[in-house]
Amino acid sequence: MDTKKNPLIGIIGGIGPYAGLDFLRKIFSNTRAVKDQDHINCILISCPSIIADRTEFLLNGERCNIENPARGMFESAQRLYRAGVEYAAVACNTAHSAPIFRPFSEMVQEYLPGFTVVNMLETCAAFVKESLNINHIGLLASKGTYKSRVYHEYFQEEEGAVLIEPEEQGREKIHEAIYSKQFGIKTYSQPVKPHAKNNIIYEIYRLVERGAQAVILGCTELPLAVDPRDFSVPILDPGLLTARRLITLAAPEKLL
Amino acid sequence: MDTKKNPLIGIIGGIGPYAGLDFLRKIFSNTRAVKDQDHINCILISCPSIIADRTEFLLNGERCNIENPARGMFESAQRLYRAGVEYAAVACNTAHSAPIFRPFSEMVQEYLPGFTVVNMLETCAAFVKESLNINHIGLLASKGTYKSRVYHEYFQEEEGAVLIEPEEQGREKIHEAIYSKQFGIKTYSQPVKPHAKNNIIYEIYRLVERGAQAVILGCTELPLAVDPRDFSVPILDPGLLTARRLITLAAPEKLL
């Protein structure tokens, strides 16, 4: 394969496995292709057994001596590197928190020359700043993401960004929409149950009522439940923005 | 990663891209897992740009000087090998035809020691022989698969196997269910259109009327359209059987 002409895109998945799968599907479905051969060359690595729980690490890492997930993410990156990958992304929101993503990026920079990692949250923040030019941004996410405040690292108050999060009860409803064993998206995703969908739609409207000019779906499960076209404000999927960014880097003429 | 304890499964995908994605989903959904870390370590490579059209090659390869898809499949295998894969499969029915699969396997054996490729059609044939003990087998597939007679290589008349294929009109209906731009599964897969679904269900019943004791869904798109539990005879998905075989090889205790 002429990797000059056909750069290889890599996805560090497994966190969780279905989020990685969904990320790869976004690359496929955003590629201009009428036959198999038109599609972009990609590799998805899904090695969840070597990557510790991200939220657990952020909340209890030091106290409970939990390994930094950065190590397993880096091992996944090494394997992609050996397979020939040039541009990669990590298919998980919480993994982008500084205590995880910073050491990961440092190891990549030191040991994997020419391996570019596109930061999903940075990509989302850049899109909001450059294309939307707004500063009140609603955020729907899992409890772990709120607690770890990972989005606050990328949308900084000093720069004028105001992140609007659901109130306590709303966070609970979103958490249930993702995790409930009865109707949550992690258990029922094809199709998503109406109960989960309604929880999310209601909380999007609540955020808009409270002044959100756009709403970020800050958990890889949420985009499975709602269609952004159904709302009057921009609904942002960081995974989708990053998939499109990877296509732009590897083969800009193929971006749909 | 301790690859003794956690062997890495590889999927040679891209032929087509969505078939590879669906194969990986089958590994995930057949794994006993309650949290991310329980899932099996996998890599999916999807490099369609380097793998020539399989049917085209089988029908017109020599006349039109089309490169053997085996070369690009082998290059994909090499990359998986460098990433540490031990057990792999090829997510495409037609690629298992002898003119493609034989040279591919020979290259793997010669250059990639310790890299085991599970043959999807051999796995399906072994299942029919060992678990079903029947000899009249219906086959639903694309026109290319019928023409290339790839299933006849694995279900041999000398061994008593009788492959029952749809008549001319039925083949056309299955081909449309897969390829039609108006309602085919390659264009509409989430959800599959009723027109495509009905075509397939009707042809399954026709094969059963003509004596089929089981029906093979011999094209990676077909399992997206029907639920095997809806029929009185076994409906076999070679991809599913192979996904389960890979789990059995890599981590038998995790087979759901």
Side-chain angles (χ1 to χ4, degrees):
Chain A
M1 176 160 63
D2 179 357
T3 50
K4 271 263 164 6
K5 262 181 62 189
N6 292 303
L8 197 48
I9 289 177
I11 298 155
I12 295 172
I15 43 181
Y18 290 100
L21 212 55
D22 192 52
F23 194 101
L24 185 55
R25 180 184 297 279
K26 280 171 188 155
I27 293 184
F28 293 167
S29 63
N30 282 273
T31 301
R32 192 182 301 283
V34 294
K35 59 180 193 301
D36 292 349
Q37 287 75 16
D38 298 335
H39 277 275
I40 295 175
N41 298 326
C42 298
I43 302 191
L44 163 63
I45 184 163
S46 181
C47 289
S49 79
I50 58 167
I51 306 180
D53 189 275
R54 285 69 61 201
T55 303
E56 266 298 292
F57 169 77
L58 292 172
L59 300 181
N60 308 314
E62 266 183 52
R63 194 164 52 80
C64 303
N65 202 17
I66 297 167
E67 185 186 68
N68 193 324
R71 202 201 52 77
M73 285 159 55
F74 176 65
E75 190 177 329
S76 295
Q78 279 179 306
R79 288 177 188 271
L80 290 180
Y81 183 73
R82 288 206 290 274
V85 163
E86 281 175 76
Y87 301 104
V90 177
C92 171
N93 282 275
T94 320
H96 284 77
S97 181
I100 301 171
F101 209 76
R102 197 176 296 143
F104 166 71
S105 300
E106 283 167 3
M107 285 187 276
V108 166
Q109 273 188 352
E110 187 166 348
Y111 298 107
L112 310 181
F115 187 88
T116 301
V117 178
V118 175
N119 181 316
M120 186 160 78
L121 268 63
E122 221 167 78
T123 303
C124 182
F127 179 82
V128 169
K129 200 182 275 184
E130 291 155 20
S131 302
L132 298 182
N133 194 25
I134 57 173
N135 47 21
H136 286 70
I137 307 121
L139 176 64
L140 291 187
S142 67
K143 283 188 199 170
T145 300
Y146 292 128
K147 279 195 199 155
S148 69
R149 295 179 62 83
V150 44
Y151 270 85
H152 288 84
E153 300 167 21
Y154 295 91
F155 291 85
Q156 299 204 342
E157 280 179 36
E158 303 88 77
E159 297 182 6
V162 180
L163 275 183
I164 306 175
E165 301 181 347
E167 288 133 345
E168 191 54 36
Q169 204 186 357
R171 293 186 194 200
E172 199 59 56
K173 286 181 86 153
I174 294 300
H175 198 82
E176 280 189 349
I178 301 167
Y179 290 98
S180 162
K181 290 273 173 265
Q182 278 76 50
F183 61 85
I185 307 169
K186 276 193 186 281
T187 314
Y188 300 98
S189 67
Q190 284 188 318
V192 170
K193 294 251 180 194
H195 193 155
K197 206 175 277 225
N198 292 344
N199 276 13
I200 297 164
I201 291 171
Y202 180 79
E203 290 307 321
I204 290 177
Y205 279 113
R206 283 287 298 147
L207 291 174
V208 172
E209 272 173 20
R210 290 173 54 217
Q213 299 164 289
V215 175
I216 296 171
L217 304 176
C219 171
T220 48
E221 268 81 16
L222 299 174
L224 303 173
V226 292
D227 185 337
R229 292 168 300 185
D230 293 345
F231 300 88
S232 57
V233 301
I235 305 294
L236 307 178
D237 170 2
L240 175 61
L241 293 169
T242 307
R244 294 180 61 83
R245 176 86 189 118
L246 285 169
I247 298 171
T248 305
L249 286 169
E253 74 285 1
K254 294 198 173 175
L255 184 69
L256 203 64
Chain B
M1 175 161 64
D2 180 357
T3 50
K4 271 261 164 8
K5 260 181 66 191
N6 291 303
L8 198 49
I9 289 177
I11 298 155
I12 295 172
I15 43 181
Y18 290 99
L21 212 55
D22 193 53
F23 194 103
L24 185 56
R25 180 184 297 280
K26 280 171 189 156
I27 293 185
F28 292 167
S29 62
N30 282 272
T31 300
R32 190 182 305 280
V34 294
K35 60 181 190 300
D36 293 348
Q37 287 75 15
D38 299 335
H39 277 275
I40 295 175
N41 298 326
C42 297
I43 301 191
L44 163 63
I45 185 164
S46 181
C47 290
S49 79
I50 58 168
I51 306 179
D53 189 274
R54 287 66 63 200
T55 305
E56 266 298 294
F57 169 76
L58 292 172
L59 300 180
N60 308 313
E62 266 184 53
R63 194 164 52 80
C64 303
N65 202 17
I66 298 168
E67 185 187 67
N68 193 326
R71 202 201 54 76
M73 287 159 55
F74 176 65
E75 189 178 327
S76 296
Q78 279 179 304
R79 288 177 187 270
L80 291 180
Y81 183 73
R82 288 205 292 272
V85 163
E86 282 176 74
Y87 301 103
V90 177
C92 170
N93 283 275
T94 320
H96 284 77
S97 181
I100 300 171
F101 209 77
R102 197 175 296 143
F104 165 71
S105 301
E106 283 167 3
M107 285 186 276
V108 166
Q109 272 186 353
E110 188 166 347
Y111 299 106
L112 311 181
F115 186 87
T116 302
V117 178
V118 174
N119 181 316
M120 186 161 78
L121 268 65
E122 221 168 79
T123 303
C124 181
F127 179 83
V128 169
K129 200 181 273 183
E130 291 156 20
S131 302
L132 299 181
N133 194 23
I134 57 172
N135 47 22
H136 286 70
I137 307 121
L139 176 64
L140 290 188
S142 67
K143 282 188 197 171
T145 301
Y146 292 128
K147 278 196 198 154
S148 68
R149 293 178 64 81
V150 44
Y151 271 86
H152 288 84
E153 300 166 21
Y154 295 90
F155 292 85
Q156 299 205 340
E157 279 178 37
E158 303 88 78
E159 296 182 6
V162 181
L163 275 183
I164 306 176
E165 300 180 347
E167 288 134 346
E168 191 53 34
Q169 205 186 355
R171 293 185 192 199
E172 200 59 55
K173 286 180 86 153
I174 295 299
H175 198 82
E176 281 190 349
I178 301 167
Y179 290 98
S180 163
K181 289 275 174 263
Q182 279 76 51
F183 60 84
I185 306 169
K186 276 194 187 278
T187 313
Y188 301 98
S189 66
Q190 284 187 320
V192 169
K193 295 251 179 192
H195 193 155
K197 206 177 276 228
N198 292 345
N199 277 14
I200 297 163
I201 293 171
Y202 180 79
E203 290 307 320
I204 290 177
Y205 279 112
R206 283 288 298 147
L207 291 175
V208 172
E209 273 173 21
R210 291 171 55 215
Q213 299 164 290
V215 174
I216 295 172
L217 304 176
C219 172
T220 49
E221 268 80 18
L222 300 174
L224 303 174
V226 292
D227 185 337
R229 292 167 299 185
D230 294 343
F231 300 89
S232 57
V233 300
I235 304 295
L236 307 178
D237 171 2
L240 175 61
L241 293 169
T242 307
R244 294 180 61 82
R245 176 86 189 117
L246 285 169
I247 298 171
T248 306
L249 286 169
E253 74 285 2
K254 294 198 173 175
L255 185 67
L256 202 65

